[in-house]
C-alpha cells in the first residue's frame, strides 16, 4: 500500500511542468524515504533526477517499494483537474497497475479521484557519483531562465565560463554573438537575489541551449538555481522544491572534436 | 531480402533512437539495398522513373547522414555468393514469370476492353457509366497503352479469345506484339526500338513538319462544320503529345538509355493524348484530366472503321507470321535453291511455293486461330489466283529477277549466314519483341518494294535495317546507331531533294548508286527475313504485300511510298480517298504520323548505306525499275485478296461475302488493268503514282465496305444476347478489368535492375563527399557485420536482416524511412529477448528461408522459433549446430510422433515440404564464415568537395548552383561545427536495466522463447497452455490441481475455478495466485510480478513435464501415463519449496 498526501497540489503540478519537457514517461520509485524519479531524455544527453522526501508530505505511507511507470502527459491531464489549493493524495495498491489521485478541496466539500493506468517502463538507472564540483554558482532562477532564453536566440550552444569574478554566459551564431556577465554580489542582502560563486578552479563548458531552456521550466519551483560544474563533467542544475526535496538536471557538455573531419 | 519475417519477429527488441544521438558514430551503410530501393521507388511527379534516381537518392541520404554528423562507411556488394545466386535464380524465375504474367494480364485487359466496348455499343445509354470507368482507369494507370493500339489489339485478341491453349497463347502473343509494333502503333513502336537521340530527331522533325504542312491537310477538315472544333482539338492534343514525348526524349538523352518499361510509359502517355474520347492529362497538371466526348454515332463509326482496318492488320499479320515461320523452317540453302527454281518455273512453282507457304502458315496458325483459319485459306487462295493472273504480266520481270537473283544470291547467302546468328539468339533470347520488330521491318520493306522506281529501295533497305538493328540490337554496335541518328538529321532534307531531282530527271548517278545498293541491301535483308522467298519474285511480292497489308492501314504503305518519293501532295491525295470513304479522322492522322516516322528512319538508314560502297549498280537498277511495276500490281492484288479474306473471315454470312466478292472482282479487274498500265510505263513515275492512287481508292472503297460490315456485326451479336445478360457481363468485365489493372501494375514494378554503372557513379559521388567506401568481396551485409565485430564501426545502417546472421552487433533500421522511427537493434537485446544467438538465427533462416536458402514452405518465424525450441541443438559447438534440425527432420520423417512440445507443431507442419538437403551445411557455413575483407584499417573522412558536387549535381540532376547550395550548405555548416554533444552514458555508469520487452511479444513467441531459453536444461516441455484437447493433458491438469489442493487447501476453490477456465486460457492458473509468490527482490513492481509468476509457473510445469518424459523426445502417450505418479510428487515438491 502506498499513500502520499501533499497539501499543496501546486508543487506536484510544478514538478510535472518541470520534467515533462524532457520526458514523456517516467518511473516514480516510491520507497520509505520518499518518491524518487530518475530518467534520461531519449537522446541520453540530459538526465532528470527528482527527489521528494517522505517527511515533506503531509502523510506518507509506503509498505513496500513500488515503481510506478507513468505517462507524464496523462499525469499532467489529471493534475490539471486539481485546483492549486487542493490537497492531493496519491494512492496505489502494492500490486496494482493503477495509481489513484485524490483531490480534496480545502474545505472538504469536494473530493475527486482519478485513476491512472501505470506503464511497464524500461528502467535505466544511472549511477551518479557524488562529485565535488570545481565551481558552484548560485543565482536567481528567474535570471538564469532569462539568460538562457536570450542566448538561445543566438546559437545552439551556450558557453558558461566561471571565474572568480563571476560567471559569463556567451553564445555565438549567424546573427552575431552575445555575452552576459554576472558579477558576484558583494553584499548579500537577500539571498534569493544574490549571485554567488564558489570556485576551486575556473571552468568553461559548452552546453546545448535547448536543454538549458528545458531546465528553466522548473523556475517556478524555486527562487534560486544552483549550477555545479567541473571540467569535462556534466553540468548540474539544481532547483529546490520547497522544503520537501529537489530536482536536479544533468546535462552532458559539448566538447571539441579532437579529430578533424 | 534477408531472412523472411525475421524483422517482424525481432521488432519488439528494437528501440527508437533519436538521430541526434548518432552524432560522430561510425556507421557502416549497406548501399546495395539502397540502390534497389531508390531505383524502384523514386519517381517524378508523373510517376515516371527519374533519370539518375540512384544518384539522387544517394545524394539526399548522404546529406542526411552528414547532417546528423554521422560518419558513414559505405559498403557495396561485391560478388554474389553461389548460394545466393541459386536463390536469386529462383527469384528471377519468379520475376520473369511476373513479367510474362504482366503481359498476359495486359492482353487480358485489352480483351476485356474489347468486350466492354462492344457491350457499350450495344447497351448504348444503359452503359453511361462505362466512360467513367475508363477514365478512372486512366487515372489509375500510368502504363496505359495508347488507345489506338488498344483497339488494334482488341480486335486481334478478340479474334483469338475463343481458342486459348498454351501454344496458341504463345503465338497470339507474338502476333500481338507484331501488330502492336508495326501496324497498330507505328508511332510508338518505333520509339521502342530507337535510342533517345534518334527519337528526339524524329520528334523534332515531326514537330517541324506539323507546323509547315498544315495547308496540305485541308482535306482532313471535317465535312460538317460542327465537327471542326473536335478536329482542332484532336490536332492540338496530337501536337501536345508530340511535344511531351519530345521532352521526354530530351530528358532521356541526358541520362541513360531507355528501358522497355519506360518507353512503354512514354508511349502510353502519348497514347492517352491521341485519343480524344478518353480522359486526358494536361502536361503541367497531373491531377486534372479532360474528358472529351464526341458524338456517339461518329465514335462508333470511327471505331468500327478502325476496327475494320485493324482486322486487315490482324489477318495479314497472321499470314506474315506464317511466312516467317516458314522462313525459319526452310532456312537451309537447299530451300533457297528450291525457291529459286520455283522462280524459274514461274507459275507452277509459284503455285507450289504458295502451297507450301499456305500450308505452313496454316499449320502454324490453325491451332492458334481456329476461327481465322478458313479466312486465311480463302485469302491465300485468292492471292494465288491473283498470282496466276499476274504471272502473265510479270514473266519478263521474273526473268530479270532471276538474273538479279544470281547476282544477289551470293550476297544473300552470306547475309543469311551472317544474319542467322543474330537471328537465332534474338528469336530465343529477345523473343517475340525481336520477331515483331523484324516482322515490322519486313512489312515496311514490302511496302517499299512496291515503288522501287522511287526511293522505295532505299526505304526497304533502311526498314529492314531497322528491323535488323532493333531485332539484334546487341549485335549492332552503338557507333552505327549514333551515326545513323547523326546522319538522319541532315539526310532527310538531302533525300527529299534527291527525290525531287529524280522525279524531274531520269536518274542521276548518285541516286542510282543509292537506289541500287539500297535495293540490293533491301533484297538481301528481306530475303534473310523471308529466306525461302526471293524478294523479287511475284510470290515474294505477294507475301510481302500481304505483310504490307498487315500494316493495319492499306493506305499506309501507299502513302508511305508516296511520301518517300518526296511528294507531299501525293501523300495528301493518297490519304484523301481513304479519308472520305472511311471518314475516320483519327486513323487518318495516325496514318500521316506513321508515314512520316518510317520515312525519316528510312532516310537515315538509306544514307548510311549510300556511304558504303556499292557494286553491280546498273544491272540491278534496271531490274529494279521493272520490278516496281510488278510489285505494284501485285501489291494491289494482294491488298485486295487480303481484305477480301478478312471480310470473309469476319463475316461468315454468305451473302455479305458474296457481295464483297463481287465488289472485289470489280476492283480486281480494275487493279489488274492498273497493274498492266504500270507495266507499260515502268519508267514513268507519275503514272505509277496515279495507279497508286487508283489502288488506294479501291482500297478505300473496300475498307469503307468493311466498315459498314463491322458496324453491322455487333448488331448481329446483340440479337442473340439479351440486354440483361450483357449488362451482367459488362459489370463482370469491369470488375475483372480493375483486378487485372491492379495485377499488372504490381507485376510490372517487379522488373528493373541495378547496373555496374550505377555503382560506379555512386562511388564517384561518395568520393566527392569524402566518404570512405568498401566494395565487399561478397555480400555487403557480411562486410558490415564484420566491421561491426571488429569495432571499426559502431553499427550498421541496413534494412536487411541477413546482417544478424553474419554477426552484426548493432543495427539501425528504418533509417531513411520518414514514416517510422529509426530503430536500434542490438545483438545482445535479441539474445536477451529471444534467446537467439547468431547460430540460432542461422537455423531460423534455414527454416523460414533467406537469401541463401528457400527454407521450408509454410514455416514462419514463430513456428520456426517453436521448432528451434522443441529441437534444441546439442551443445554450443559450431560443428553440430545442425543437430537440432536434423532431429527435427528425422522426427518429421518418422511421422511426427507426438512428443512433449510437439503437439502443436504436428498440426502446423502437416503440409510442409522439406527441400532436398535440408538442413544445409553449406548455408550455415556461408552465414557463419562469410567471405569478407579482413583488413583492419580504420577509416578516415574527408570534407565534401563543394565545387565538384555542384558540378556533379548540375550534370546529373540538372540542378542550379542555388539548388545545390540550398541542400549542401546546411550540411556543410553542420559538419564544420567543431563541437559535439556528449551523451550522459559516457559519464554515468548505466545500471543494467530490467527487461520490459517481454510484454510486447505475442504469447506464442513468449512461450517459444521461454522454451528456447531453457532448452539446454529442459529438453522438452509440454506447453499445457496450448489449448490441446488431448486426454492426458487435461488429466495432468487435474492432477496438478489436486496437488495444489493438498498443499494449499485454502486456495482450493480459486484453483478449481481456474481450472474451469483453463480450457480457454492457459494462463489463468498463474493469475489466480499472485500473492503466493514471495517477494524475491527488494523492490516490488506490480507489472512485473505477474510476469515473474508466469515464469515460475512455467518453470514448474517444465519440471513436471520433464520428469514425465526424461528419456527423450519420442515418447508415446502410453508411457507417459505410466509415469503419472511421479508427476504428483514432482509438483508437490516444487510447489512446497516454492511456497515456503
Amino acid at each position: 500500500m502506498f499513500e502520499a498526501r501533499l497539501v499543496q497540489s501546486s508543487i506536484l503540478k510544478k514538478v510535472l511542468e518541470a520534467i515533462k519537457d524532457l520526458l514523456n514517461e517516467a518511473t516514480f520509485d516510491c520507497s520509505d524515504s520518499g518518491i524518487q524519479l530518475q530518467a534520461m531524455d531519449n537522446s541520453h544527453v540530459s538526465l532528470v533526477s527528482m527527489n521528494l522526501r517522505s517527511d515533506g508530505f503531509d502523510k506518507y505511507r509506503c509498505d513496500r517499494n513500488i515503481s510506478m511507470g507513468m505517462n507524464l502527459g496523462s499525469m499532467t491531464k489529471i493534475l490539471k483537474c486539481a485546483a492549486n489549493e487542493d490537497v492531493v493524495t496519491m494512492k496505489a495498491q502494492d500490486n496494482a497497475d493503477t495509481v489513484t489521485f485524490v483531490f480534496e478541496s480545502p474545505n472538504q466539500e469536494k473530493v475527486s479521484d482519478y485513476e491512472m493506468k501505470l506503464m511497464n517502463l524500461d528502467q535505466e538507472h544511472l549511477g551518479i557519483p557524488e562529485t565535488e564540483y570545481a565551481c558552484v554558482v548560485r543565482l536567481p532562477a528567474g535570471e538564469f531562465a532569462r539568460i538562457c532564453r536570450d542566448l538561445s536566440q543566438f546559437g545552439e550552444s551556450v558557453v558558461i565560463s566561471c571565474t572568480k569574478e563571476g560567471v559569463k554566459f556567451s553564445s555565438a551564431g549567424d546573427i552575431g554573438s552575445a555575452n552576459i556577465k554576472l558579477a558576484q554580489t558583494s553584499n548579500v542582502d537577500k539571498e534569493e537575489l544574490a549571485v554567488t560563486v564558489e570556485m576551486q578552479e575556473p571552468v568553461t563548458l559548452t552546453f546545448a541551449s535547448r536543454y538549458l531552456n528545458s531546465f528553466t521550466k522548473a523556475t517556478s519551483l524555486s527562487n534560486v538555481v544552483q549550477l555545479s560544474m567541473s571540467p569535462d563533467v556534466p553540468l548540474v542544475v539544481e532547483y529546490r522544491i520547497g522544503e520537501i526535496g529537489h530536482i536536479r538536471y544533468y546535462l552532458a557538455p559539448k566538447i571539441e572534436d579532437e579529430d578533424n573531419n | 531480402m534477408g531472412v523472411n519475417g525475421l524483422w517482424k519477429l525481432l521488432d519488439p527488441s528494437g528501440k527508437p533512437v533519436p538521430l541526434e544521438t548518432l552524432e560522430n558514430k561510425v556507421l557502416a551503410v549497406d548501399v546495395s539495398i539502397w540502390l534497389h530501393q531508390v531505383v524502384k521507388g523514386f519517381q517524378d511527379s508523373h510517376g515516371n522513373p527519374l533519370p539518375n534516381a540512384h544518384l539522387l537518392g544517394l545524394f539526399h541520404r548522404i546529406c542526411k547522414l552528414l547532417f546528423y554528423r554521422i560518419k558513414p562507411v559505405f559498403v557495396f556488394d561485391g560478388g554474389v555468393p553461389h548460394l545466393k545466386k541459386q536463390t536469386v535464380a529462383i527469384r528471377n524465375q519468379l520475376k520473369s514469370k511476373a513479367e510474362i504474367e504482366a503481359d498476359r494480364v495486359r492482353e487480358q485487359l485489352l480483351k476485356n476492353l474489347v468486350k466492354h466496348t462492344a457491350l457499350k455499343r450495344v447497351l448504348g445509354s444503359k452503359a453511361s457509366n462505362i466512360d467513367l470507368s475508363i477514365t478512372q482507369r486512366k487515372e489509375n494507370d500510368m502504363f496505359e497503352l495508347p488507345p489506338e493500339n488498344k483497339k488494334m489489339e482488341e480486335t486481334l485478341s478478340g479474334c483469338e479469345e475463343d481458342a486459348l491453349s498454351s501454344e496458341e497463347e504463345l503465338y497470339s502473343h507474338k502476333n500481338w506484339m507484331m501488330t502492336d509494333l508495326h501496324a497498330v502503333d507505328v508511332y510508338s513502336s518505333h520509339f521502342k526500338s530507337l535510342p533517345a537521340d534518334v527519337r528526339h530527331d524524329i520528334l523534332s522533325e515531326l514537330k517541324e513538319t506539323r507546323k509547315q504542312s498544315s495547308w496540305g491537310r485541308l482535306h482532313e477538315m471535317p465535312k460538317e462544320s460542327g465537327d471542326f472544333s473536335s478536329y482542332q482539338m484532336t490536332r492540338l492534343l496530337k501536337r501536345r503529345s508530340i511535344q511531351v514525348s519530345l521532352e521526354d526524349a530530351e530528358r532521356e538523352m541526358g541520362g541513360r538509355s531507355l528501358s522497355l518499361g519506360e518507353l512503354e510509359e512514354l508511349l502510353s502517355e502519348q497514347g492517352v493524348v491521341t485519343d480524344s474520347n478518353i480522359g486526358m492529362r494536361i502536361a503541367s497538371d497531373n491531377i486534372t484530366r479532360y474528358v472529351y466526348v464526341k458524338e456517339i454515332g461518329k465514335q462508333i463509326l470511327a471505331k468500327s472503321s478502325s476496327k475494320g482496318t485493324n482486322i486487315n492488320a490482324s489477318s495479314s499479320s497472321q499470314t506474315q507470321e506464317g511466312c516467317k515461320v516458314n522462313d525459319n523452317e526452310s532456312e537451309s540453302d537447299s530451300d533457297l535453291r528450291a525457291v529459286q527454281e520455283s522462280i524459274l518455273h514461274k507459275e507452277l512453282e509459284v503455285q507450289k511455293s504458295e502451297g507450301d507457304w499456305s500450308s505452313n502458315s496454316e499449320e502454324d496458325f490453325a491451332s492458334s486461330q481456329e476461327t481465322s483459319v478458313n479466312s486465311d485459306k480463302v485469302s491465300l487462295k485468292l492471292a494465288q489466283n491473283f498470282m496466276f493472273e499476274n504471272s502473265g504480266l510479270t514473266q519478263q520481270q521474273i526473268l530479270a529477277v532471276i538474273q538479279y537473283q544470281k547476282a544477289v544470291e551470293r550476297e544473300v547467302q552470306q547475309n543469311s549466314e551472317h544474319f542467322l546468328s543474330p537471328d537465332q539468339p534474338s528469336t530465343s533470347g529477345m523473343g517475340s519483341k525481336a520477331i515483331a520488330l523484324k516482322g515490322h521491318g519486313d512489312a515496311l520493306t514490302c511496302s517499299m518494294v512496291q515503288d522501287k522506281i522511287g526511293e522505295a529501295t532505299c526505304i526497304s533497305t533502311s526498314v529492314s535495317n531497322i528491323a535488323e538493328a532493333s531485332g539484334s540490337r546487341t549485335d549492332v554496335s552503338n557507333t552505327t546507331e549514333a551515326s545513323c541518328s547523326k546522319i538522319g538529321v541532315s539526310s532527310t532534307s538531302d533525300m527529299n531533294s534527291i527525290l525531287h531531282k529524280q522525279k524531274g530527271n531520269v536518274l542521276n548517278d548518285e541516286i542510282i548508286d543509292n537506289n541500287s545498293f539500297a535495293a540490293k541491301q533491301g533484297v538481301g535483308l528481306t530475303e534473310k527475313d523471308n529466306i525461302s522467298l526471293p524478294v523479287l519474285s511475284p510470290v515474294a511480292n505477294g507475301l510481302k504485300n500481304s505483310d504490307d497489308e498487315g500494316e493495319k492501314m492499306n493506305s499506309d504503305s501507299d502513302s508511305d511510298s508516296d511520301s518517300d518519293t518526296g511528294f507531299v501532295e501525293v501523300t495528301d491525295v493518297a490519304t484523301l480517298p481513304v479519308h472520305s470513304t472511311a471518314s475516320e479522322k483519327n486513323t487518318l492522322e495516325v496514318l500521316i504520323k506513321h508515314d512520316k516516322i518510317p520515312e525519316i528512319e528510312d532516310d537515315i538508314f538509306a544514307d548510311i548505306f549510300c556511304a558504303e560502297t556499292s557494286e553491280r549498280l546498273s544491272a540491278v537498277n534496271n531490274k529494279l525499275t521493272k520490278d516496281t511495276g510488278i510489285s505494284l500490281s501485285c501489291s494491289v492484288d494482294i491488298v485486295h485478296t487480303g481484305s477480301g479474306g478478312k471480310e470473309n473471315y469476319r463475316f461468315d454470312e454468305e451473302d455479305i461475302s458474296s457481295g464483297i466478292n463481287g465488289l472485289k472482282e470489280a476492283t480486281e479487274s480494275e487493279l489488274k488493268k492498273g497493274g498492266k498500265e504500270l507495266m507499260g510505263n515502268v519508267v514513268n513515275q507519275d503514272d505509277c503514282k496515279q495507279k497508286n492512287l487508283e489502288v488506294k481508292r479501291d482500297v478505300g472503297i473496300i475498307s469503307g465496305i468493311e466498315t459498314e460490315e463491322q458496324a453491322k456485326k455487333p448488331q448481329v451479336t446483340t440479337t442473340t444476347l439479351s440486354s440483361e445478360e450483357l449488362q451482367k457481363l459488362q459489370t463482370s468485365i469491369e470488375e475483372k478489368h480493375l483486378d487485372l489493372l491492379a495485377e499488372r501494375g504490381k507485376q510490372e514494378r517487379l522488373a528493373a535492375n541495378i547496373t555496374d554503372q550505377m555503382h560506379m557513379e555512386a562511388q564517384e559521388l561518395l568520393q566527392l563527399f569524402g566518404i570512405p567506401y568498401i566494395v565487399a568481396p561478397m555480400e555487403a551485409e557480411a562486410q558490415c557485420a564484420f566491421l561491426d565485430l571488429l569495432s571499426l564501426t559502431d553499427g550498421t545502417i541496413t534494412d536487411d536482416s541477413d546482417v544478424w546472421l553474419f554477426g552484426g552487433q548493432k543495427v539501425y533500421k528504418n533509417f531513411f524511412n520518414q514514416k517510422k522511427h529509426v530503430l536500434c537493434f542490438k545483438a545482445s537485446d535479441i539474445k536477451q529477448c529471444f534467446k537467439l544467438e547468431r547460430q540460432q538465427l542461422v537455423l531460423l533462416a534455414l527454416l523460414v528461408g533467406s537469401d541463401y536458402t528457400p527454407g521450408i514452405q509454410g514455416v514462419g518465424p514463430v513456428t520456426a522459433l517453436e521448432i528451434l525450441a522443441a529441437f534444441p541443438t546439442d551443445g554450443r559447438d559450431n560443428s553440430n549446430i545442425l543437430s537440432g534440425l536434423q532431429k527435427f527432420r528425422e522426427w518429421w520423417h518418422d511421422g511426427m510422433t507426438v512428443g512433449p512440445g510437439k503437439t502443436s507443431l504436428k498440426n502446423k507442419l502437416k503440409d510442409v515440404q522439406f527441400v532436398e538437403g535440408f538442413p544445409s551445411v553449406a548455408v550455415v557455413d556461408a552465414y557463419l564464415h562469410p567471405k569478407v575483407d579482413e583488413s583492419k584499417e580504420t577509416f578516415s573522412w574527408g570534407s565534401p568537395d563543394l565545387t565538384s558536387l555542384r558540378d556533379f549535381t548540375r550534370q546529373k540532376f540538372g540542378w542550379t548552383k542555388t539548388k545545390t547550395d540550398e541542400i549542401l550548405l546546411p550540411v556543410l555548416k553542420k559538419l564544420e561545427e567543431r563541437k559535439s554533444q556528449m551523451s550522459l552514458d559516457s559519464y554515468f555508469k548505466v545500471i543494467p536495466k530490467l527487461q520490459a520487452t517481454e510484454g510486447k511479444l505475442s504469447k506464442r513467441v513468449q512461450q517459444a522463447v521461454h522454451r528456447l531459453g531453457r532448452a539446454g536444461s529442459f529438453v522438452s516441455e509440454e506447453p499445457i497452455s496450448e489449448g490441446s484437447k488431448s486426454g492426458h493433458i487435461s488429466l495432468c491438469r487435474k492432477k496438478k490441481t489436486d496437488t495444489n489442493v493438498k498443499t494449499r487447501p485454502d486456495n482450493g476453490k480459486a484453483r478449481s475455478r481456474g481450472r474451469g477456465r483453463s480450457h480457454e486460457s492457459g494462463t489463468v492458473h498463474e493469475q489466480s495466485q499472485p500473492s503466493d509468490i514471495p517477494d524475491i527482490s527488494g523492490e516490488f513492481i506490480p507489472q512485473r510480478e505477474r510476469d515473474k509468476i508466469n515464469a515460475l509457473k512455467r518453470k514448474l510445469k517444465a519440471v513436471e513435464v520433464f520428469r514425465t518424459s526424461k528419456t527423450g523426445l519420442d515418447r508415446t502417450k502410453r508411457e507417459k501415463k505410466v509415469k503419472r505418479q511421479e508427476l504428483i510428487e514432482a509438483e508437490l515438491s516444487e510447489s512446497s519449496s516454492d511456497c515456503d
Side-chain angles (χ1 to χ4, degrees), chain B residues 405-415 615-616:
Chain B
Q405 186 68 31
K406 279 172 194 161
V408 173
E409 193 184 83
R410 199 184 54 195
E411 194 186 329
V412 169
Q413 273 170 350
Q414 278 176 353
N415 280 336
E615 298 156 16
R616 301 171 233 139

Side-chain angles (χ1 to χ4, degrees), chain A:
Chain A
M1 178 72 182
F2 164 74
E3 194 177 340
R5 183 179 152 96
L6 196 60
V7 180
Q8 294 167 280
S9 68
S10 61
I11 288 181
L12 204 55
K13 284 181 166 194
K14 284 173 187 168
V15 166
L16 209 59
E17 197 66 31
I19 61 174
K20 74 176 171 62
D21 247 31
L22 290 164
L23 310 170
N24 295 322
E25 50 219 9
T27 307
F28 288 76
D29 296 315
C30 307
S31 66
D32 216 19
S33 57
I35 301 174
Q36 266 122 37
L37 178 150
Q38 193 207 64
M40 283 194 280
D41 72 314
N42 57 9
S43 54
H44 289 208
V45 170
S46 66
L47 178 135
V48 182
S49 168
M50 184 206 70
N51 186 19
L52 300 173
R53 287 188 306 276
S54 54
D55 53 20
F57 288 91
D58 187 31
K59 184 180 165 196
Y60 189 89
R61 176 188 166 197
C62 184
D63 299 340
R64 52 204 294 190
N65 294 347
I66 62 169
S67 293
M68 299 186 291
M70 298 199 206
N71 182 317
L72 297 182
S74 315
M75 195 178 168
T76 313
K77 279 179 191 164
I78 288 172
L79 286 174
K80 275 203 177 128
C81 303
N84 275 340
E85 54 280 356
D86 279 359
V87 176
V88 61
T89 310
M90 286 168 76
K91 280 187 204 162
Q93 294 302 315
D94 280 343
N95 55 355
D97 51 6
T98 57
V99 63
T100 309
F101 294 89
V102 181
F103 304 127
E104 295 163 71
S105 65
N107 52 11
Q108 299 286 319
E109 278 172 353
K110 178 183 169 194
V111 176
S112 42
D113 64 294
Y114 299 86
E115 198 177 67
M116 185 177 78
K117 283 181 187 141
L118 293 175
M119 305 168 77
N120 198 353
L121 295 176
D122 280 344
Q123 282 186 312
E124 287 180 304
H125 271 284
L126 288 184
I128 301 165
E130 283 296 320
T131 327
E132 279 290 306
Y133 285 94
C135 287
V136 177
V137 180
R138 270 186 213 90
L139 70 158
E143 190 64 57
F144 180 63
R146 176 79 196 246
I147 289 166
C148 290
R149 199 189 66 205
D150 291 349
L151 291 186
S152 63
Q153 297 172 37
F154 283 83
E156 290 177 356
S157 18
V158 172
V159 180
I160 305 177
S161 47
C162 188
T163 57
K164 213 166 223 154
E165 289 76 42
V167 60
K168 187 177 91 175
F169 301 87
S170 50
S171 179
D174 288 340
I175 56 169
S177 62
N179 292 290
I180 298 169
K181 270 186 238 168
L182 295 178
Q184 265 206 80
T185 319
S186 46
N187 52 340
V188 183
D189 291 342
K190 287 181 182 169
E191 205 180 324
E192 64 264 23
L193 294 178
V195 178
T196 58
V197 178
E198 295 166 20
M199 192 199 76
Q200 270 80 53
E201 53 170 320
V203 179
T204 301
L205 284 174
T206 309
F207 300 100
S209 52
R210 183 160 71 91
Y211 291 100
L212 292 176
N213 268 326
S214 299
F215 298 165
T216 59
K217 294 287 187 291
T219 303
S220 56
L221 282 169
S222 170
N223 290 325
V224 178
V225 62
Q226 175 181 310
L227 313 178
S228 311
M229 294 188 290
S230 272
D232 202 23
V233 152
L235 161 83
V236 184
V237 179
E238 180 181 333
Y239 294 88
R240 308 214 136 268
I241 305 172
E243 291 303 308
I244 69 165
H246 64 258
I247 183 163
R248 283 189 191 134
Y249 299 97
Y250 293 81
L251 177 61
K254 284 183 163 189
I255 59 167
E256 296 276 338
D257 289 341
E258 57 279 7
D259 58 331
N260 296 327
N261 277 1

Side-chain angles (χ1 to χ4, degrees), chain B residues 710-730:
Chain B
Q710 294 298 317
K712 273 179 213 162
K713 197 205 166 192
Q715 282 162 10
V716 175
T717 53
T718 324
T719 50
T720 57
L721 289 167
S722 75
S723 60
E724 272 179 45
E725 281 171 323
L726 282 175
Q727 227 152 13
K728 255 188 245 162
L729 207 66
Q730 190 196 337

Side-chain angles (χ1 to χ4, degrees), chain B residues 320-373:
Chain B
Q320 187 187 333
E321 177 70 9
C323 37
K324 203 154 331 123
V325 172
N326 194 5
D327 304 344
N328 290 336
E329 284 171 358
S330 57
E331 264 171 323
S332 65
D333 284 359
S334 60
D335 278 20
L336 256 174
R337 295 242 167 73
V339 179
Q340 280 165 22
E341 275 178 350
S342 76
I343 298 153
L344 282 168
H345 293 289
K346 290 172 231 159
E347 296 102 325
L348 282 170
E349 307 309 306
V350 167
Q351 266 183 308
K352 195 181 136 200
S353 64
E354 278 267 344
D356 263 350
W357 169 57
S358 61
S359 64
N360 265 328
S361 70
E362 275 166 48
E363 264 176 32
D364 291 323
F365 276 91
S367 55
S368 68
Q369 299 180 331
E370 284 173 323
T371 46
S372 62
V373 167

Side-chain angles (χ1 to χ4, degrees), chain B residues 490-773:
Chain B
S490 58
S491 65
T492 41
S493 55
D494 288 357
M495 278 313 278
N496 277 336
S497 64
I498 289 165
L499 300 177
H500 277 293
K501 253 190 268 167
Q502 194 189 7
K503 180 207 170 193
N505 222 317
V506 188
L507 298 165
N508 75 39
D509 287 300
E510 197 185 327
I511 295 163
I512 293 167
D513 279 11
N514 289 346
N515 289 346
S516 55
F517 184 73
K520 237 198 298 164
Q521 201 72 15
V523 169
L525 286 165
T526 41
E527 283 218 346
K528 274 170 257 149
D529 291 340
N530 310 324
I531 291 169
S532 63
L533 310 167
V535 194
L536 299 177
S537 75
V539 182
N541 279 336
L543 282 173
K544 266 181 269 152
N545 286 324
S546 65
D547 288 352
D548 167 26
E549 261 268 319
E551 281 217 80
K552 172 174 98 179
M553 317 297 173
N554 298 335
S555 50
D556 197 350
S557 57
D558 295 349
S559 53
D560 229 357
S561 51
D562 283 328
S563 62
D564 288 331
T565 45
F567 308 115
V568 182
E569 300 147 352
V570 177
T571 331
D572 294 335
V573 180
T575 47
L576 184 60
V578 181
H579 170 61
S580 56
T581 47
S583 75
E584 40 177 342
K585 272 171 277 170
N586 284 341
T587 40
L588 188 71
E589 287 223 347
V590 171
L591 268 184
I592 292 159
K593 234 197 293 166
H594 289 184
D595 293 345
K596 264 166 205 163
I597 292 160
E599 182 188 347
I600 292 158
E601 286 170 0
D602 296 343
D603 290 345
I604 293 162
F605 286 102
D607 256 29
I608 290 159
F609 281 94
C610 299
E612 292 175 33
T613 55
S614 63
E615 298 156 16
R616 301 171 233 139
L617 322 166
S618 52
V620 176
N621 201 21
N622 290 334
K623 279 160 228 153
L624 287 177
T625 47
K626 282 173 198 162
D627 291 334
T628 42
I630 307 160
S631 60
L632 259 180
S633 59
C634 289
S635 75
V636 170
D637 297 338
I638 299 303
V639 164
H640 230 0
T641 49
S643 53
K646 269 163 263 144
E647 279 161 39
N648 281 342
Y649 155 61
R650 258 329 205 184
F651 313 108
D652 289 330
E653 289 117 293
E654 285 175 33
D655 43 352
I656 293 171
S657 62
S658 64
I660 290 159
N661 282 335
L663 195 131
K664 234 190 297 163
E665 271 160 19
T667 42
E668 274 162 25
S669 58
E670 209 181 305
L671 288 169
K672 239 200 293 172
K673 238 202 289 169
K676 274 175 199 161
E677 277 171 28
L678 281 172
M679 279 303 300
N681 311 321
V682 183
V683 196
N684 192 333
Q685 285 194 334
D686 290 321
D687 278 19
C688 288
K689 265 175 265 150
Q690 279 179 348
K691 289 307 142 203
N692 273 342
L693 290 180
E694 273 180 36
V695 171
K696 267 166 253 151
R697 244 169 251 140
D698 296 335
V699 169
I701 292 159
I702 292 165
S703 60
I705 292 158
E706 275 180 19
T707 327
E708 284 168 24
E709 308 291 354
Q710 294 298 317
K712 273 179 213 162
K713 197 205 166 192
Q715 282 162 10
V716 175
T717 53
T718 324
T719 50
T720 57
L721 289 167
S722 75
S723 60
E724 272 179 45
E725 281 171 323
L726 282 175
Q727 227 152 13
K728 255 188 245 162
L729 207 66
Q730 190 196 337
T731 45
S732 72
I733 285 167
E734 277 171 52
E735 280 166 21
K736 207 169 149 199
H737 194 144
L738 287 175
D739 290 350
L740 288 172
L741 273 171
E743 200 182 333
R744 191 180 77 182
K746 203 176 108 200
Q747 304 286 7
E748 273 175 350
R749 213 157 331 126
L750 292 173
N753 268 318
I754 309 294
T755 63
D756 281 346
Q757 206 210 343
M758 289 181 181
H759 282 291
M760 299 286 288
E761 287 173 330
Q763 285 164 10
E764 192 196 338
L765 185 61
L766 288 175
Q767 275 169 357
L768 294 179
F769 270 107
I771 294 170
Y773 64 83

